[in-house]
Amino acid sequence: VSADHWGFDEGFAHTARAPLALLTDVWWRGAVTGAEAVPDEGPALVVVDCPSDPAVAHVVLAGALARAGRRHPRCLLPGSAFDRPWLSEAARRFGFVPAHREDALGLLGEGHLVGVSVSGPHDTLFAEIALAARVPVVPCAIVDRPYLPAPGPLRLAPLPTRRRVAFVAPLGPYAADPEDRAAVLDHADLVRERLAEAVQLSVTQLPEGRRPTTTTGET
Amino acid sequence: VAGPRRILITGVASWWGMQLAERLLADGQRVVGLDTREPPGPHGITFVRADLRERGLAEVVRAAGVDTVVHNDITQYPEPGRSARALHDINVIGTLQLLAACAELPALRTLVVRGSSAIYGSEGCGPSFFTEEMARRFPRRFRFQRDVGELEALVDSFARRSPGVTCCVLRLAPQVGPGLDSPVNRLLRGRLVPTVLGYDPRVQLLDAEDAVAALHRAVLDPVAGPVNVAAEDVVPLSGALRAAGRLPVPVAGPLYGRVARGVPPELQRFMRFGRAMDTTRMREALGFRPAHTTAGALARAAA
């Protein structure tokens, strides 16, 4: 096992990307649009809006990027994923890290593409990271059928739904003080607005009977 | 001001104490060693038999007339002459007494404390790299962790009361090395190393010789406040063990304590979740670079 100081194992991630791309195609029947908005080089932050579990959202994001032939994202997962046996090891080797601002800034400082969920661990983390690191933000909306709450670990098993992964044009980078609460909230609102537009766009492309009743996860 | 410095080392009979005393003597400094048992070496130190927990410490320290104190008497595990029950007394009460004695030393300029990275704990959900500001991120789970936390709080308040003294706490990563006999060494130097099934933590260690070198560096050129000290590489445990010629043997979590006997709880947790630190301050403020990597230190420990 060879890994960098984050625990990222390039060989493992490379091997996992092919089946993941296939999974995105076949199981999730994913339609990926606008992936060219993701820059090929330099630090950038992908902010994901997904009604289902954030861990699943980031795996779907990685699958969508693999399918579109873009670079591998290093995503921020909820810390609880890193307490679990096997899951913690796999997540690390796949390049994922616990959702801490310092982790994100470190990865962006090394020029990586970082994925973060629009919600949690707290509401404006993504905006704070974007402003502190002064990196462009690529909003990404993932739309699926209404989220079916399944018990326990079954939640992690992706249900066979049609997912649409829509990237929209990058925002920023903006020069604002990350400690300035008003600036952070402004930036967060701007990103959320773009996400809402992207979600709307994806929803209207879904067949009539499959349109979700909600797209934010808050029922 | 030219001329040798007078340096007091507590716990001088420990492995670190003797190694550090040797280096300082080689520099031409004058070393006063304090311990409850006489160290077998090195020659040239002024040994004072004293117990940090007992009265009369202040007089002994004052009589030594030192300008530098190295508080090295931090114990994580029972040693010859130190029972497991005495550890808290030595770590916390001992530090309290020593600092009270230090407050009466007008010539004191430097205080160096051998602390521990155990203060951060081992947390799966924790940040990938702990910086010095993150000591309070998680609740302190184990006795030793709470001890180092209390000890640092004491040093902190001493530093605030004594603006003329540079107080430096080195938060040392778990140490391995051929000369050192500690639980982490005994666990990692065997041919078969029990690991926790389902976990392959990122670990960062420190060669024991580098620990002494860091203490030496801090005595010569101290910086105020805590400094993380660890090898510069962070590696997955299983890979590092294999590279060092060991065989990791995964053991189911609930059975781990029974298989790995004599492994303290904070070390068991380290084997599950690992820990890595940001060592920017070590390189840039302290100006110290360890000679050995984590993988190299592991390989050396086997010899």
Side-chain angles (χ1 to χ4, degrees):
Chain A
V1 178
S2 63
D4 73 355
H5 54 292
W6 299 96
F8 171 59
D9 180 346
E10 204 172 344
F12 175 81
H14 186 76
T15 312
R17 268 165 71 93
L20 199 61
L22 193 71
L23 195 73
T24 310
D25 258 351
V26 175
W27 184 260
W28 292 323
R29 294 179 291 153
V32 184
T33 54
E36 61 282 354
V38 178
D40 277 326
E41 270 175 10
L45 192 67
V46 179
V47 178
V48 184
D49 182 27
C50 180
S52 53
D53 194 285
V56 177
H58 289 301
V59 174
V60 173
L61 171 68
L65 287 171
R67 193 167 159 274
R70 316 301 289 193
R71 67 181 152 149
H72 185 58
R74 311 284 287 264
C75 298
L76 306 183
L77 290 197
S80 57
F82 294 89
D83 289 333
R84 314 251 163 84
W86 291 290
L87 181 64
S88 59
E89 191 190 331
R92 277 279 180 197
R93 290 178 70 189
F94 199 55
F96 291 2
V97 297
H100 291 279
R101 181 177 157 157
E102 298 81 2
D103 283 55
L105 295 183
L107 284 166
L108 289 168
E110 292 173 18
H112 293 295
L113 179 69
V114 173
V116 61
S117 171
V118 71
S119 54
H122 63 93
D123 272 354
T124 54
L125 180 70
F126 68 94
E128 285 166 30
I129 294 168
L131 292 183
R134 296 205 174 175
V135 293
V137 168
V138 182
C140 169
I142 300 176
V143 175
D144 57 13
R145 283 198 306 184
Y147 173 48
L148 301 172
L154 278 180
R155 244 173 346 126
L156 294 174
L159 296 163
T161 54
R162 176 175 288 282
R163 286 174 202 250
R164 285 173 184 276
V165 183
F167 297 91
V168 295
L171 294 163
Y174 294 106
D177 178 10
E179 303 304 325
D180 178 356
R181 220 35 221 153
V184 169
L185 290 171
D186 275 355
H187 190 51
D189 281 346
L190 189 64
V191 174
R192 286 208 193 91
E193 233 167 74
R194 286 291 178 87
L195 279 170
E197 285 167 20
V199 168
Q200 222 40 58
L201 195 71
S202 293
V203 168
T204 50
Q205 288 168 358
L206 282 179
E208 190 64 46
R210 290 178 169 276
R211 287 183 193 172
T213 49
T214 172
T215 52
T216 56
E218 303 146 349
T219 36
Chain B
V1 186
R5 285 164 62 183
R6 287 182 66 86
I7 300 162
L8 177 86
I9 304 179
T10 65
V12 76
S14 67
W15 186 85
W16 298 273
M18 287 191 282
Q19 296 281 320
L20 179 64
E22 210 164 281
R23 285 186 190 230
L24 291 171
L25 287 171
D27 289 347
Q29 318 286 8
R30 302 182 60 180
V31 177
V32 181
L34 204 91
D35 211 316
T36 51
R37 58 209 150 104
E38 185 154 2
H43 296 293
I45 62 165
T46 312
F47 173 67
V48 180
R49 190 183 303 274
D51 192 325
L52 290 187
R53 295 160 290 176
E54 283 171 12
R55 282 157 182 254
L57 182 73
E59 284 85 86
V60 171
V61 171
R62 203 177 315 129
V66 293
D67 53 61
T68 302
V69 171
V70 181
H71 186 26
N72 163 62
D73 205 353
I74 314 297
T75 45
Q76 186 170 2
Y77 46 89
E79 289 174 65
R82 283 94 212 269
S83 70
R85 294 179 63 180
L87 299 188
H88 172 84
D89 280 2
I90 295 169
N91 291 339
V92 180
I93 312 295
T95 303
L96 187 65
Q97 296 245 70
L98 178 71
L99 293 177
C102 284
E104 296 172 26
L105 289 176
L108 187 69
R109 290 290 164 268
T110 306
L111 172 69
V112 175
V113 180
R114 174 163 69 86
S116 169
S117 62
I119 194 166
Y120 301 116
S122 290
E123 304 290 340
C125 60
S128 297
F129 298 93
F130 282 96
T131 62
E132 282 82 357
E133 294 74 42
M134 295 180 185
R136 291 229 146 259
R137 278 280 174 106
F138 297 95
R140 300 197 173 130
R141 296 168 191 272
F142 306 110
R143 191 213 66 226
F144 181 65
Q145 213 184 334
R146 288 190 289 271
D147 278 7
V148 271
E150 281 180 54
L151 181 154
E152 284 210 17
L154 293 173
V155 174
D156 237 26
S157 71
F158 175 81
R160 262 181 273 119
R161 290 194 311 268
S162 326
V165 183
T166 309
C167 300
C168 180
V169 181
L170 300 186
R171 292 180 181 158
L172 304 176
Q175 294 155 59
V176 291
L180 193 62
D181 190 38
S182 63
V184 62
N185 250 294
R186 285 195 288 274
L187 183 66
L188 295 178
R189 84 178 153 210
R191 172 89 182 88
L192 304 175
V193 179
T195 57
V196 185
L197 184 67
Y199 293 92
D200 190 14
R202 295 157 61 245
V203 296
Q204 188 185 30
L205 303 170
L206 180 65
D207 192 277
E209 267 179 23
D210 281 328
V212 176
L215 285 166
H216 186 208
R217 174 84 204 143
V219 169
L220 297 185
D221 205 357
V223 290
V227 181
N228 292 337
V229 179
E232 293 184 54
D233 58 330
V234 177
V235 290
L237 179 64
S238 66
L241 286 174
R242 279 196 206 95
R246 321 288 215 287
L247 195 63
V249 182
V251 175
L255 300 174
Y256 192 76
R258 291 199 199 160
V259 174
R261 287 194 175 275
V263 175
E266 63 271 10
L267 181 53
Q268 287 184 28
R269 210 174 150 81
F270 180 78
M271 294 298 282
R272 184 182 295 236
F273 295 122
R275 180 197 313 124
M277 295 185 287
D278 183 318
T279 53
T280 309
R281 202 164 139 73
M282 169 186 85
R283 292 192 307 271
E284 286 171 10
L286 188 63
F288 177 72
R289 289 197 109 98
H292 302 280
T293 59
T294 295
L298 264 175
R300 267 164 49 81

